[in-house]
């Protein structure tokens, strides 16, 4: 049975990827932090339904020996490195930990694979944030990088590290340049989930406002369940390479609000308050990807509509908040809108 190792298995992408790999017949291993093992209720909600079927190992992105030991013990055929400090806003608050965790974590994983499992195929979760103040729209694999945050810088470094391990040591190492991808499992700090969750609280009478930053930012939003398939496809290719994964269209945060609130029978203008605290020191105004290479080389396609994605998230959060209310935990501040 083929073994796969996922860092960041407790996150949105990790959970969808684990499902996909189990469905493909893999033995799935995941790296989690010790705190997650100690608090599965709060930190493993996305993979609770998989816990019987997967193998979890405690290790930290900050500790090379801990990662090396897991790689040596598991001997994976494929490794998906998804773990990172992935919230762009937070990277302005703490550049140092973002750079340390993201760059060193990637470097440690690559080195551990090279030393302990050199035939393992490696996937690095790069990001459209690497394009930042993009020189062209849409962006493709040739577009120059101009990151606008330490998060973006850390991903550029990870991208170059991955490519260098491919070229210098012959590792089958690929980078997925993924654009924003969302789902009902998205973290509450990201704008889409912040909107769908707070809107559900408003609809159910628990709150009256949604405080947001830049409503004019444009993003190319896809569904995470489809994007993890692209990760898997990259490691099934004979040659390692780098691919843009995107929908090819973009929308503003304002449009997301409009569709979300309308779906719940509300008008976003009545509830959304623009709050300076949520603007970033350096914003990425527009990201939109050209995924022709992924389509032509790997046969990856995306055919969901933006509206369906928004509505799925809203419906899910309406159920989630209603369930919380029934359980008597909906009345406290589940989301203090501090992100
Ligand atoms: O949802 P966001 O926080 O995602 P962002 O910064 O685009 O990054 C996400 O996608 C990247 C891929 O391109 C990943 F690499 C990264 O890890 C992450 O998954 O913000 C989206 C946009 C931004 O322009 C932001 O300024 O929404 C704008 N925004 C407006 N008001 C807000 C808010 N973002 C957040 N999080 N909270 C707000 O209140």
């Amino acid at each position: 049975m083929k073994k796969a190792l996922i860092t960041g298995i407790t996150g949105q992408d990790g959970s969808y990827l684990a499902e996909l790999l189990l469905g493909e017949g893999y033995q799935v291993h995941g790296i989690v932090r010790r705190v997650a093992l100690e608090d599965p209720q709060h930190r493993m909600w996305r993979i609770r339904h998989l816990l019987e079927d997967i193998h979890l190992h405690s290790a930290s992105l900050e500790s090379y020996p801990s990662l090396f030991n897991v790689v040596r013990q598991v001997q994976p055929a494929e490794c998906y490195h998804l773990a990172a400090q992935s919230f762009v806003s937070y990277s302005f608050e703490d550049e140092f930990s973002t750079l340390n965790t993201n760059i060193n974590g990637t470097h440690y994983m690559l080195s551990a694979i090279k030393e302990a499992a050199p035939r393992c195929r490696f996937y690095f979760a790069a990001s459209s944030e690497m394009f930042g103040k993009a020189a062209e729209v849409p962006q493709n694999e040739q577009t120059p990088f101009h990151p606008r945050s330490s998060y973006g810088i850390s991903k550029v470094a990870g991208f170059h590290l991955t490519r260098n391990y491919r070229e210098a040591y012959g590792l089958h190492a690929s980078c997925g340049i993924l654009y924003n991808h969302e789902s009902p499992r998205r973290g509450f700090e990201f704008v889409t989930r912040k909107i769908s969750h707070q809107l559900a609280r408003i609809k159910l009478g628990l709150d009256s406002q949604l405080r947001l930053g830049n409503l004019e930012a444009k993003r190319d939003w896809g569904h995470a369940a489809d994007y993890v398939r692209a990760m898997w496809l990259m490691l099934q290719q004979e040659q390692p390479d780098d691919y843009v994964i995107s929908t090819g269209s973009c929308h503003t945060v304002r449009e997301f609000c409009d569709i979300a609130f309308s779906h719940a029978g509300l008008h976003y203008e009545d509830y959304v308050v623009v709050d300076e605290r949520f603007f970033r020191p350096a914003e990425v105004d527009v990201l939109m990807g050209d995924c022709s290479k992924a389509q032509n080389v790997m046969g990856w396609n995306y055919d969901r509509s933006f509206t369906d994605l928004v509505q799925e998230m809203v419906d899910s959060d309406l159920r989630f908040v209603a369930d919380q209310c029934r359980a008597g935990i909906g009345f406290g501040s589940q989301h203090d809108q501090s992100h």
Side-chain angles (χ1 to χ4, degrees):
M1 194 184 246
K2 236 178 170 181
K3 291 183 196 171
L5 176 64
I6 305 174
T7 73
I9 194 170
T10 58
Q12 168 187 260
D13 296 1
S15 67
Y16 282 116
L17 180 62
E19 285 171 6
L20 181 145
L21 294 172
L22 286 169
E24 295 289 339
Y26 285 73
Q27 187 182 97
V28 176
H29 295 254
I31 289 181
V32 294
R33 281 177 292 170
R34 193 175 45 77
V35 286
L37 289 174
E38 286 167 359
D39 185 13
Q41 171 80 5
H42 292 106
R43 296 178 188 262
M44 294 212 222
W45 58 273
R46 296 182 181 93
I47 54 168
R48 199 176 294 141
H49 59 296
L50 304 175
L51 288 175
E52 300 276 289
D53 303 317
I54 59 180
H55 306 260
L56 296 180
H57 306 264
S58 164
S60 161
L61 283 191
E62 280 136 38
S63 156
Y64 177 72
S66 74
L67 298 171
F68 178 84
N69 284 335
V70 176
V71 172
R72 187 182 52 184
Q73 189 195 326
V74 174
Q75 288 296 313
E78 295 173 12
C79 174
Y80 298 85
H81 177 44
L82 313 182
Q85 189 305 92
S86 64
F87 186 34
V88 176
S89 260
Y90 181 72
S91 75
F92 289 107
E93 286 168 40
D94 189 348
E95 297 172 2
F96 291 88
S97 74
T98 301
L99 291 168
N100 285 339
T101 305
N102 292 2
I103 299 176
N104 290 342
T106 305
H107 188 192
Y108 295 162
M109 282 307 296
L110 282 163
S111 177
I113 299 282
K114 168 178 165 266
E115 296 301 324
R119 292 172 55 169
C120 173
R121 296 184 171 194
F122 182 82
Y123 171 85
F124 172 60
S127 164
S128 56
E129 277 291 309
M130 301 190 306
F131 296 125
K133 197 173 170 62
E136 57 187 356
V137 181
Q139 301 85 39
N140 61 37
E141 292 80 3
Q142 265 70 55
T143 304
F145 299 142
H146 185 154
R148 297 267 282 170
S149 63
S150 57
Y151 169 81
I153 293 166
S154 75
K155 288 292 175 179
V156 172
F159 177 89
H160 287 305
L161 276 165
T162 304
R163 204 155 62 173
N164 192 239
Y165 268 70
R166 179 163 83 213
E167 292 171 359
Y169 307 117
L171 246 58
H172 191 296
S174 298
C175 298
I177 306 175
L178 269 55
Y179 283 64
N180 299 51
H181 43 289
E182 319 295 312
S183 77
R185 299 184 196 172
R186 193 53 150 145
F188 293 93
E189 65 272 39
F190 299 97
V191 76
T192 55
R193 187 75 198 275
K194 181 175 173 181
I195 295 167
S196 62
H197 181 243
Q198 189 64 8
L199 148 59
R201 289 181 58 79
I202 291 169
K203 180 73 181 174
L204 295 172
L206 301 172
D207 259 315
S208 57
Q209 277 187 350
L210 167 59
R211 305 187 78 84
L212 294 173
N214 181 10
L215 300 184
E216 310 315 327
K218 288 185 178 164
R219 289 292 183 277
D220 180 333
W221 278 296
H223 198 297
D226 291 324
Y227 283 34
V228 299
R229 175 158 287 278
M231 299 175 186
W232 177 71
L233 282 173
M234 281 177 222
L235 299 204
Q236 308 319 303
Q237 305 305 306
E238 204 173 313
Q239 297 302 326
D241 208 340
D242 310 316
Y243 297 90
V244 160
I245 302 299
S246 63
T247 74
S249 63
C250 66
H251 302 270
T252 59
V253 173
R254 184 185 296 282
E255 282 174 81
F256 194 105
C257 290
D258 189 10
I259 295 172
F261 277 79
S262 300
H263 186 56
L266 303 172
H267 297 292
Y268 82 93
E269 296 98 325
D270 297 336
Y271 304 96
V272 171
V273 175
V274 172
D275 186 331
E276 290 297 320
R277 285 181 303 151
F278 301 117
F279 281 77
R280 296 175 181 178
E283 175 64 289
V284 171
D285 295 322
V286 50
L287 286 175
M288 188 168 90
D290 170 1
C291 65
S292 314
K293 180 175 171 185
Q295 286 173 335
N296 297 335
V297 177
M298 306 195 297
W300 182 80
N301 277 306
Y302 186 83
D303 58 9
R304 294 192 209 225
S305 81
F306 176 62
T307 301
D308 285 351
L309 169 65
V310 178
Q311 294 182 347
E312 182 188 341
M313 291 182 72
V314 171
D315 288 339
S316 171
D317 267 329
L318 286 168
R319 286 193 300 273
F320 172 67
V321 174
D323 286 348
Q324 283 193 313
C325 287
R326 272 192 289 278
I329 52 173
F331 299 99
S333 179
Q334 283 298 306
H335 194 292
D336 63 4
Q337 297 199 55
S338 58
H339 300 296

